[in-house]
Amino acid sequence: MSYLRALPALLMLILYPVLVIALVVIVVALLVLLIIELQSGRAIVFAVIILLGLLGGIGYAIKELVTRPKPSIEGPSLDRAQAPALWAQVDELAAAVGTPTVDRIHVLPEANAAVTQIGGERIMLIGLPVLGAMSVGQLRSILAHELGHYAGGRYALGSFLLRAQDALITIARNSSGLWGLLFRGYARLYIWAAQLSSREMERAADGFSLRLAGSDAMASAFERLVETELAWGAYWKNFVGPSFAVTGARAPLIEGLQQMLVEEHETIAPIAQQVIAEQKPSWQDSHPLLRERIQRARAHPSPPAQHGDAPALSLLPRDIDPIEQTVLSDPDRDLWSWDRIFQRTQAVRENRSASELAHDLVAAGVVPAATPRAILETQAQVPVGARMLAVPQQRTFDPETIRPEQIQQLLCSTIFRDRMLAAGAMHMQVDFGSDATFTDQSGVVDVPQLIGDGGPEATRRVLTELERRGADLDTPYEAPTSADAEAIPEDTLLAALTNGSGTGLMPRDLWVLPQGLLIVRSRINGFAMLAGGSREDRQAERVTRRLEQKGLQALRAERGSIWIPAESIEEVNVRGGGVRIRVSGRDKELKVKPAQYSATLGDIGEALQRVCPGRLTTGRGRTPLGGA
């Protein structure tokens, strides 16, 4: 059936070169007639531009396809001696599917699984989160599905259709004007035709999961996969990335993920069910809807396989740390417990927050010194919150969104947590939820109850408690650095606006980096620009490759580049998708505005707030952003 479904896509591939040749012939003929009819130099120039617009997209796309690096697999390879139990499962399932087993198994840092073939080698790709979150039965369902793609030559057909799709999309993406519309329309039509076959192949692969792992395992594997994907994204963004950057160390990845899945199950599971229920069909879908696949599994009940409830991690070596190390960009970090990671991370964050508040208060003239004692003693005598909001030049707090008593509560709670953690008098529980729980020798420390309304009496109570615990209240807070003390390498690209206009005649990129902003020439091939420019999905690759190959220092020194250290930025105004930067020592603002082929990579607003906190505004009215 999947072969019959593939016929429309194959027919379109056969017709594609015929279409292109016919277009070129027709366009050339029309342009020749135009030149003969008008007999002017302008007609010749117009004809050349039109023809280059057509041939440019095709030529540059072919160049991209030919020069594209050969596919490679990142992630550790598990040989048979390392994981004999996992290999035994794969071998057994391959034999049951009726296909030769794979040649290699690789572990990836993502919540997914797949098969591929490179240089004649069959390769199984399994995400580390999948191994950490699934049961053996659920993993068998996933492995059976992936191996099912090899059965009956389906992988070769699917791979061919996918490569053809990539080529058509590349040509369409690099074609401009009328030709771009035409090629994009044809590519979309081809995708629609190819996905008919792809969805049928997925259903056939699901049949192997159903037969070899059982209906319960298949249905629960789909649900668990969505839960794991949601958890892994939040886990990496909120805990792994920031905590590892702050501490310079690492913690057991799977241990933390498993704890998060248990602690947050009541939050994650309903969201996963909602994602499955609200998934909408699209002509671009390469897979059937998840809910349809789950319903199909439950409509064909079958007995579960033996040992299905055992954790999939039992198929790996007992010590998985060497595997976890290989999926990290910096595997040589010291291995800490999650408890130690949490304590250090929270202590750094609380100290940074307290430092920023302290120096903002001193700069506004509200408190005499940036010490915990000076701040608390001042607040015990005068309304610090009201005084801070009355300072016109301060941008720490927005008077329209925060009340004076909230500022005072914030000061009390931030200084209390910072000084208690620094003194070792309070401990933060390891919790992968959203709420932080602090304890001491007597039990849970109720910080909100202690600080109360943040008024004079509550502030004196906080000061007395800190003195009783022996906290250091007289050492001044160090001035916070604009690079934000989380140890992010200076060449880390936080966000970017590419191919912008406004600063110089050539297209410019604005790169947001931890220690400042870099305006640099886009350096896009002129032929590519004539053909329509490099589209958004290629911008990240272009920028990242350039940063890696040349290095930040060389790019800063490049002719036409403008390096703006974070400390020299007076204001960054985000308006209409563009950015205006006011720099000390410059009379005119620097501007990078979106142009025809601009793309925004990452969250520009969030990245700018990180690099220059308190100096970000929005709109023509330059409304301050940020605050507490």
Side-chain angles (χ1 to χ4, degrees):
M1 180 65 73
S2 56
Y3 293 101
L4 293 176
R5 291 288 182 94
L7 285 179
L10 293 172
L11 181 61
M12 290 190 69
L13 287 178
I14 294 171
L15 292 176
Y16 190 76
V18 177
L19 171 68
V20 173
I21 293 171
L23 275 176
V24 173
V25 171
I26 292 171
V27 169
V28 170
L30 289 175
L31 293 176
V32 169
L33 289 175
L34 180 66
I35 293 171
I36 293 173
E37 183 69 23
L38 298 179
Q39 294 183 353
S40 70
R42 289 184 179 181
I44 296 174
V45 172
F46 176 76
V48 170
I49 292 175
I50 293 293
L51 188 59
L52 284 179
L54 172 61
L55 299 179
I58 300 172
Y60 191 73
I62 292 173
K63 175 180 176 291
E64 279 196 46
L65 292 169
V66 171
T67 59
R68 186 169 296 177
K70 293 182 179 180
S72 60
I73 304 298
E74 297 181 359
S77 175
L78 294 178
D79 59 37
R80 291 181 176 274
Q82 284 178 293
L86 177 61
W87 273 96
Q89 293 285 344
V90 173
D91 292 342
E92 176 196 332
L93 291 169
V97 167
T99 186
T101 191
V102 297
D103 299 294
R104 286 189 280 158
I105 297 177
H106 281 259
V107 178
L108 303 178
E110 58 188 63
N112 202 357
V115 290
T116 187
Q117 191 163 324
I118 299 177
E121 277 193 315
R122 292 184 167 195
I123 303 171
M124 170 76 73
L125 310 173
I126 309 176
L128 182 63
V130 172
L131 291 167
M134 299 279 179
S135 67
V136 171
Q138 291 167 336
L139 181 63
R140 281 176 60 87
S141 174
I142 292 173
L143 297 179
H145 171 93
E146 297 303 334
L147 290 166
H149 285 302
Y150 286 130
R154 293 187 185 89
Y155 177 82
L157 174 61
S159 179
F160 172 74
L161 294 177
L162 188 61
R163 289 197 303 272
Q165 176 178 311
D166 186 39
L168 296 187
I169 290 174
T170 302
I171 292 173
R173 190 179 62 236
N174 290 284
S175 300
S176 62
L178 178 63
W179 314 123
L181 291 175
L182 179 64
F183 288 134
R184 284 193 288 277
Y186 199 94
R188 289 178 179 178
L189 188 61
Y190 170 81
I191 292 171
W192 171 80
Q195 302 307 30
L196 291 176
S197 173
S198 177
R199 288 192 289 272
E200 187 63 31
M201 292 179 188
E202 293 297 331
R203 292 187 184 96
D206 282 347
F208 290 105
S209 292
L210 194 59
R211 177 165 63 86
L212 299 176
S215 55
D216 288 343
M218 177 177 166
S220 64
F222 284 134
E223 293 170 336
R224 188 63 166 173
L225 194 60
V226 177
E227 292 175 8
T228 304
E229 187 174 7
L230 291 170
W232 181 254
Y235 175 63
W236 200 273
K237 178 182 178 180
N238 299 330
F239 298 99
V240 175
S243 299
F244 288 15
V246 167
T247 62
R250 60 188 179 88
L253 290 174
I254 292 304
E255 176 189 311
L257 176 64
Q258 290 175 332
Q259 184 172 342
M260 182 177 185
L261 284 166
V262 171
E263 291 177 353
E264 295 298 296
H265 177 73
E266 293 184 1
T267 300
I268 295 172
I271 297 175
Q273 291 298 324
Q274 184 178 359
V275 169
I276 294 170
E278 295 180 356
Q279 186 183 14
K280 295 180 179 179
S282 168
W283 59 273
Q284 293 178 298
D285 289 340
S286 60
H287 292 62
L289 295 178
L290 267 180
R291 60 176 176 271
E292 294 177 359
R293 302 167 78 181
I294 293 171
Q295 289 167 0
R296 179 191 177 194
R298 289 180 172 149
H300 298 81
S302 57
Q306 292 183 348
H307 311 299
D309 292 333
L313 210 59
S314 63
L315 301 177
L316 294 182
R318 181 168 297 180
D319 181 12
I320 64 168
D321 183 60
I323 299 173
E324 291 189 351
Q325 281 184 277
T326 56
V327 302
L328 293 172
S329 58
D330 187 3
D332 296 328
R333 298 169 182 262
D334 291 338
L335 179 63
W336 289 6
S337 67
W338 271 111
D339 181 79
R340 187 179 177 188
I341 289 279
F342 263 66
Q343 306 319 309
R344 177 58 181 162
T345 301
Q346 192 66 22
V348 170
R349 286 176 173 169
E350 297 290 356
N351 185 258
R352 183 186 307 124
S353 297
S355 298
E356 290 173 353
L357 287 170
H359 283 273
D360 286 346
L361 291 168
V362 171
V366 175
V367 298
T371 66
R373 187 183 301 279
I375 296 169
L376 294 175
E377 286 181 346
T378 301
Q379 183 159 296
Q381 298 171 12
V382 299
V384 167
R387 286 196 172 188
M388 189 65 174
L389 291 180
V391 178
Q393 68 269 26
Q394 69 86 22
R395 289 182 175 174
T396 308
F397 303 106
D398 183 358
E400 296 183 1
T401 60
I402 192 169
R403 301 189 305 275
E405 59 269 25
Q406 290 177 309
I407 297 176
Q408 291 159 192
Q409 289 173 323
L410 176 66
L411 286 171
C412 279
S413 62
T414 302
I415 292 174
F416 180 78
R417 290 195 301 266
D418 167 54
R419 294 296 83 200
M420 289 286 282
L421 288 169
M426 192 167 68
H427 184 273
M428 182 182 180
Q429 289 186 352
V430 176
D431 187 345
F432 291 96
S434 56
D435 297 327
T437 302
F438 297 96
T439 60
D440 61 9
Q441 294 179 345
S442 303
V444 175
V445 178
D446 192 340
V447 179
Q449 183 180 18
L450 176 68
I451 65 171
D453 61 358
E457 183 179 345
T459 303
R460 283 191 287 268
R461 186 166 60 243
V462 170
L463 184 58
T464 300
E465 181 65 15
L466 289 174
E467 288 174 335
R468 186 178 73 84
R469 298 295 188 107
D472 180 4
L473 301 176
D474 298 310
T475 301
Y477 283 114
E478 293 183 2
T481 61
S482 56
D484 194 85
E486 294 189 5
I488 300 178
E490 66 172 1
D491 60 351
T492 300
L493 184 71
L494 302 178
L497 173 63
T498 66
N499 294 340
S501 63
T503 300
L505 298 176
M506 298 294 293
R508 304 288 177 125
D509 292 344
L510 170 66
W511 297 358
V512 185
L513 300 155
Q515 295 183 3
L517 309 179
L518 178 63
I519 299 176
V520 61
R521 288 182 179 178
S522 295
R523 299 289 186 192
I524 291 185
N525 182 289
F527 194 40
M529 290 296 291
L530 181 61
S534 202
R535 305 289 178 183
E536 181 174 348
D537 56 351
R538 300 293 288 179
Q539 293 298 324
E541 180 182 343
R542 174 181 69 81
V543 171
T544 304
R545 184 171 61 244
R546 190 175 176 198
L547 190 56
E548 290 176 350
Q549 290 177 350
K550 293 211 68 173
L552 178 59
Q553 298 304 320
L555 286 168
R556 285 169 54 173
E558 204 173 66
R559 184 179 180 182
S561 293
I562 302 174
W563 170 246
I564 311 165
E567 58 270 16
S568 70
I569 298 173
E570 295 181 352
E571 180 192 358
V572 177
N573 178 246
V574 180
R575 182 195 312 176
V579 177
R580 298 164 183 260
I581 309 157
R582 190 155 51 86
V583 184
S584 59
R586 279 182 176 266
D587 295 332
K588 294 184 178 181
E589 288 184 329
L590 296 171
K591 303 176 185 178
V592 179
K593 299 181 291 185
Q596 183 178 4
Y597 300 115
S598 291
T600 301
L601 311 178
D603 190 325
I604 284 282
E606 181 179 326
L608 289 171
Q609 186 74 309
R610 180 192 190 101
V611 174
C612 44
R615 290 165 282 171
L616 186 62
T617 63
T618 182
R620 292 184 179 276
R622 299 182 180 260
T623 304
L625 290 178

